[in-house]
Amino acid sequence: MINITFPDGGVRQYEKGTTPYDIAHSISPRLAQDVLAATVNGKVVELGRPINEDSTLMLHKWEDQQAKSTFWHSSSHLMAEALELLYPGIKFGIGPSIETGFYYDVDPGEKAITEADLKRIEDKMLELAREKQNFVRREVSKDEAIKTYTEKGDQYKCELIRDLEDGTISFYTNGSFTDLCRGPHLNDTSVIKAVKLTSIAGAYWRGNEKNKMLTRIYGVTFPQKKLLDEYLVLMEEAKKRDHRKLGKELELFAFSQRVGQGLPLWLPKGAQLRERLENFLKNVQKKGGYLPVITPHIGQKELYVTSGHYAKYGADSFQPIHTPQEGEEFLLKPMNCPHHCEIYKTKPRSYKDLPIRFAEFGTVYRYEQSGELHGLTRVRGFTQDDAHIFCRPDQLKEEFLKVIDIVLYIFKTLDFKDFTAQISLRDSNNREKYIGSDENWEKAESAIIEASAEKGLSTVVELGEAAFYGPKLDFMVKDAIGRKWQLGTIQVDYNLPERFELEYVGADDKKYRPVMIHRAPFGSMERFVAVLIEHTGGKFPLWLAPEQAVVLPVSEKYNDYAKKVVDLLTNNDIRASIDDRNETIGKKIRENELKRVPFILVVGEKEEDSGMVSVRKQGEGDKGTMSVVDFAGLINNEIKKQIE
Ligand SMILES: [Zn+2]
Ligand SMILES: [Zn+2]
């Protein structure tokens, strides 16, 4: 008999060789029906995998990400089977599950697969799914694996196999289709009840622009038709909120092929919105004891060789800039930290000076492949709301608490109610991978864990996810329609202080290394604004809205009064404009509502005579008439409430 330990700590005994499915069944037949995958001793496996030793076990239903990724990865095999039947001779690259579904990169040869073919592929997938095909795992030798795919003429799989180690290779077969795969998979295809192939894109083999362009087919599947319907509604909503579409409509930002791909141009309304966000954070940071610094957009190559960033970004990013001076090379900065380290070194520091917090809205440049670029969320030049805190090891926890406070304040102000924090720690079985002493790591890790607990954060701990130079805390927010985004990050670093030989003098007159914290609560201004647009659907909170009120005269007779109202509002720090186009008042109201202006003020004879405005609020409609001064007071009060 073997002992199986469940997540609640309960232990039950089973026959050696039992499977997660058997165990689920022994608990309840209903559970066995719903369970899709299992984690045994920390590793996700299929339900039919025998367990031969004492183990911990988690059973995953659809709600768990492990179940979804198993489900979706299995669906990519199902799609591949359908494709092979519909397009004999088709070749396959890779077909992983992704956060919301799966894709497969395929080479259909002479034929092309287009959007118009997707329905046919979906139907075939559903037909095959109903056959209740089992996913059967078989371990194979490297020779056999290469032989199989050489015979099949699939050079992509052969290339993948060549990179694998003999003894670690497995095949999975469902129906007539066999794939090179590590697994895990579903028990059988019958649980795949609803299929939607969402899009087709080109993707270079192995992401390399020198390789052949394959066809990437994206899809998503569900265990119930109802879940697909919900998903489609959500996608419709997401389309409406797409920041690329809204950014254009609201005139916030643009891209120009002539300026270059992935290099956003902030238009006046977008630039002002961003400035308001920056000022908001600058205020918070000022209160938090941060000191502003400003550093150039480029730095000598040597700087990044010292920091290690050249090794990381050099060859794969923008290439060095040469000057007329022989041998002189500069890099566009991929990170602000090296500059800030040099600022730290401009004078001797004592333990009494610490912590020192340098903050900069620093623009950095990183090359991203053109296929990876996406609106403001993946760009080649972006501005981080960066800061580096240099502190003593004993100050880490307190500094973490303070940074968490800033992040929480931002979330509260911008109405991100649902968020989790991921604590990334090192893999303690693999300590040589990390730099810094055990003692320091333990101190830093417990500082993060304790600080998160003290702030009552809902956290997930990921072992082995820390960077080699330190543990970190990342914030994931859920937006208004339930999508997850990664925002702010707080990261401990033992590496750069070492590389830059940063020091402070302790109370005992000896020299010590400070610890460095990198933190960026927004992440980057570009990404944050993108998320904010998608979260709010462009209906920004009043304090951020590019335009807070628009004044609509009912006819041109009242244009002068309308202008007076705008002036009065402007004098009261309200962003207002006039819409004096010669259109009907109904049309002007509709169009300004579409532009998401929070307040619409209608003025005609009655209003002019009494010095009033008729107020309409976005989403709420008519608010009655009031004096301009009262209206200004109302807005300014609302703003005060939003950013207090
Ligand atoms: Zn696979
Ligand atoms: Zn940094």
Side-chain angles (χ1 to χ4, degrees):
M1 298 296 273
I2 52 170
N3 291 319
I4 299 295
T5 307
F6 293 89
D8 63 1
V11 180
R12 288 198 195 195
Q13 289 203 320
Y14 289 91
E15 294 285 345
K16 191 174 163 193
T18 187
T19 66
Y21 180 84
D22 294 336
I23 295 172
H25 205 272
S26 77
I27 297 169
S28 92
R30 182 66 219 251
L31 178 63
Q33 237 175 51
D34 289 345
V35 77
L36 294 165
T39 299
V40 175
N41 292 333
K43 199 171 158 239
V44 184
V45 299
E46 45 254 313
L47 296 176
R49 188 82 69 94
I51 308 175
N52 293 317
E53 55 190 15
D54 289 353
S55 299
T56 59
L57 173 73
M58 268 159 85
L59 296 167
H60 301 300
K61 295 201 274 188
W62 175 253
E63 292 67 37
D64 294 353
Q65 194 55 41
Q66 294 92 328
K68 286 194 179 82
S69 57
T70 305
F71 197 91
W72 287 330
H73 182 67
S74 301
S75 302
S76 84
H77 282 227
L78 180 68
M79 179 170 77
E81 184 188 9
L83 287 168
E84 200 165 55
L85 290 167
L86 294 170
Y87 303 86
I90 191 170
K91 288 164 192 166
F92 296 96
I94 55 161
S97 66
I98 51 177
E99 178 140 1
T100 50
F102 60 90
Y103 68 77
Y104 220 124
D105 286 347
V106 300
D107 180 355
E110 297 300 300
K111 293 180 215 89
I113 301 175
T114 67
E115 301 267 348
D117 301 313
L118 295 181
K119 177 78 177 62
R120 190 163 79 111
I121 304 167
E122 285 172 5
D123 290 344
K124 191 78 189 168
M125 286 172 72
L126 285 169
E127 182 193 316
L128 297 168
R130 281 192 294 269
E131 288 177 9
K132 199 174 185 200
Q133 301 173 350
N134 285 307
F135 284 93
V136 182
R137 177 190 169 90
R138 186 163 71 87
E139 279 168 28
V140 292
S141 69
K142 193 165 177 171
D143 285 346
E144 187 191 342
I146 291 198
K147 191 164 159 268
T148 305
Y149 281 102
T150 310
E151 278 166 11
K152 208 177 161 191
D154 195 328
Q155 71 268 28
Y156 305 106
K157 292 290 178 190
C158 288
E159 199 180 319
L160 293 173
I161 295 164
R162 264 179 241 124
D163 292 349
L164 297 175
E165 237 169 81
D166 205 358
T168 64
I169 303 173
S170 54
F171 281 176
Y172 276 82
T173 301
N174 58 298
S176 62
F177 178 73
T178 295
D179 206 349
L180 165 75
C181 182
R182 209 178 293 131
H185 281 287
L186 296 169
N187 222 12
D188 66 69
T189 56
S190 67
V191 285
I192 302 173
K193 292 279 188 355
V195 175
K196 177 75 192 164
L197 300 185
T198 46
S199 65
I200 295 192
Y204 292 106
W205 168 236
R206 304 202 124 177
N208 185 336
E209 291 177 37
K210 292 188 190 104
N211 289 340
K212 184 165 181 186
M213 170 91 81
L214 303 182
T215 304
R216 176 170 294 179
I217 306 175
Y218 286 97
V220 64
T221 50
F222 297 92
Q224 287 166 38
K225 173 82 171 50
K226 186 184 93 199
L227 293 169
L228 172 61
D229 294 340
E230 286 169 14
Y231 170 83
L232 293 175
V233 170
L234 188 73
M235 284 304 102
E236 263 318 294
E237 187 54 39
K239 235 186 242 168
K240 282 187 225 151
R241 291 165 176 262
D242 188 323
H243 76 277
R244 294 168 300 176
K245 173 176 162 281
L246 286 176
K248 200 169 181 182
E249 282 172 23
L250 302 175
E251 296 178 29
L252 300 175
F253 61 90
F255 288 91
S256 144
Q257 288 301 321
R258 193 167 277 167
V259 170
Q261 285 187 314
L263 298 170
L265 304 173
W266 291 83
L267 305 179
K269 283 180 184 166
Q272 289 168 57
L273 179 116
R274 171 174 154 171
E275 199 173 65
R276 282 190 279 282
L277 279 170
E278 290 183 1
N279 287 339
F280 163 70
L281 184 56
K282 275 181 191 164
N283 269 332
V284 177
Q285 288 179 168
K286 201 169 166 187
K287 286 183 204 144
Y290 287 76
L291 305 169
V293 294
I294 297 173
T295 66
H297 288 232
I298 63 175
Q300 274 206 98
K301 183 178 156 188
E302 272 314 302
L303 176 70
Y304 302 104
V305 171
T306 304
S307 69
H309 291 123
Y310 186 75
K312 182 158 185 237
Y313 294 102
D316 296 328
S317 194
F318 292 106
Q319 297 304 294
I321 302 162
H322 299 269
T323 71
Q325 188 76 39
E326 175 79 28
E328 195 174 46
E329 288 182 285
F330 291 89
L331 275 190
L332 283 170
K333 72 174 165 189
M335 291 268 209
N336 301 301
C337 353
H339 290 79
H340 292 189
C341 287
E342 286 298 307
I343 293 179
Y344 180 91
K345 287 188 80 160
T346 52
K347 64 178 189 186
R349 311 283 179 178
S350 135
Y351 70 100
K352 284 182 277 184
D353 302 331
L354 302 184
I356 293 172
R357 312 177 188 91
F358 293 139
E360 173 177 23
F361 287 89
T363 305
V364 297
Y365 301 88
R366 296 177 201 167
Y367 180 77
E368 300 272 358
Q369 294 200 351
S370 55
E372 304 285 318
L373 298 172
H374 181 89
L376 287 183
T377 55
R378 278 298 270 283
V379 287
R380 287 174 174 170
F382 54 96
T383 302
Q384 296 177 313
D385 54 322
D386 214 356
H388 294 100
I389 301 167
F390 301 86
C391 66
R392 304 190 306 259
D394 63 289
Q395 293 171 321
L396 255 186
K397 181 175 160 192
E398 202 182 332
E399 286 310 300
F400 249 88
L401 285 168
K402 286 181 179 164
V403 179
I404 292 173
D405 274 339
I406 292 180
V407 173
L408 295 185
Y409 176 63
I410 291 170
F411 287 174
K412 181 175 151 259
T413 307
L414 292 165
D415 209 24
F416 288 107
K417 294 194 181 79
D418 195 348
F419 55 86
T420 48
Q422 178 178 316
I423 303 176
S424 299
L425 305 179
R426 71 181 165 164
D427 172 2
S428 52
N429 294 322
N430 215 340
R431 295 198 168 175
E432 58 295 344
K433 248 175 64 186
Y434 305 92
I435 93 146
S437 70
D438 272 352
E439 193 198 341
N440 277 339
W441 269 86
E442 273 149 31
K443 234 183 243 164
E445 292 187 336
S446 56
I448 296 180
I449 293 167
E450 283 168 31
S452 307
E454 268 174 46
K455 290 293 165 191
L457 299 180
S458 113
T459 52
V460 282
V461 174
E462 295 288 347
L463 295 174
E465 285 293 304
F468 76 92
Y469 52 81
K472 62 177 175 169
L473 182 65
D474 291 314
F475 288 87
M476 313 282 299
V477 297
K478 254 194 198 164
D479 71 9
I481 57 170
R483 295 168 301 172
K484 272 194 206 153
W485 302 83
Q486 196 199 318
L487 288 180
T489 175
I490 317 174
Q491 172 123 36
V492 179
D493 187 349
Y494 293 109
N495 180 41
L496 286 184
E498 197 71 39
R499 282 175 169 266
F500 281 87
E501 300 176 314
L502 305 184
E503 289 172 349
Y504 65 88
V505 176
D508 55 2
D509 266 347
K510 286 192 188 136
K511 286 184 172 166
Y512 295 93
R513 282 256 183 280
V515 190
M516 195 169 164
I517 299 174
H518 311 252
R519 50 108 275 187
F522 289 152
S524 79
M525 299 315 292
E526 283 72 11
R527 191 178 159 77
F528 191 76
V529 169
V531 175
L532 199 58
I533 293 172
E534 303 224 356
H535 178 51
T536 60
K539 290 175 188 151
F540 298 108
L542 197 53
W543 70 276
L544 271 180
E547 209 163 24
Q548 294 165 320
V550 58
V551 184
L552 313 184
V554 296
S555 78
E556 64 186 60
K557 254 169 69 188
Y558 307 102
N559 283 359
D560 286 343
Y561 177 61
K563 278 187 198 119
K564 242 191 267 168
V565 172
V566 169
D567 287 345
L568 209 62
L569 292 175
T570 309
N571 287 339
N572 280 279
D573 291 327
I574 289 163
R575 298 185 285 281
S577 67
I578 178 170
D579 181 356
D580 56 5
R581 288 174 305 152
N582 201 4
E583 298 283 359
T584 65
I585 189 74
K587 187 170 183 202
K588 286 202 279 191
I589 290 177
R590 270 195 310 280
E591 288 186 358
N592 282 289
E593 275 177 348
L594 277 178
K595 279 172 38 198
R596 296 166 174 77
V597 184
F599 287 97
I600 292 173
L601 309 179
V602 179
V603 296
E605 187 180 359
K606 195 180 74 192
E607 286 80 10
E608 176 163 14
D609 288 349
S610 54
M612 312 271 261
V613 288
S614 283
V615 180
R616 294 181 65 86
K617 189 173 180 187
Q618 173 81 251
E620 292 178 22
D622 197 359
K623 291 269 151 190
T625 53
M626 60 184 84
S627 78
V628 182
V629 175
D630 283 352
F631 173 72
L634 181 104
I635 286 202
N636 283 324
N637 264 335
E638 202 164 313
I639 290 173
K640 222 182 265 163
K641 264 188 263 159
Q642 285 176 351
I643 50 176
E644 75 190 352

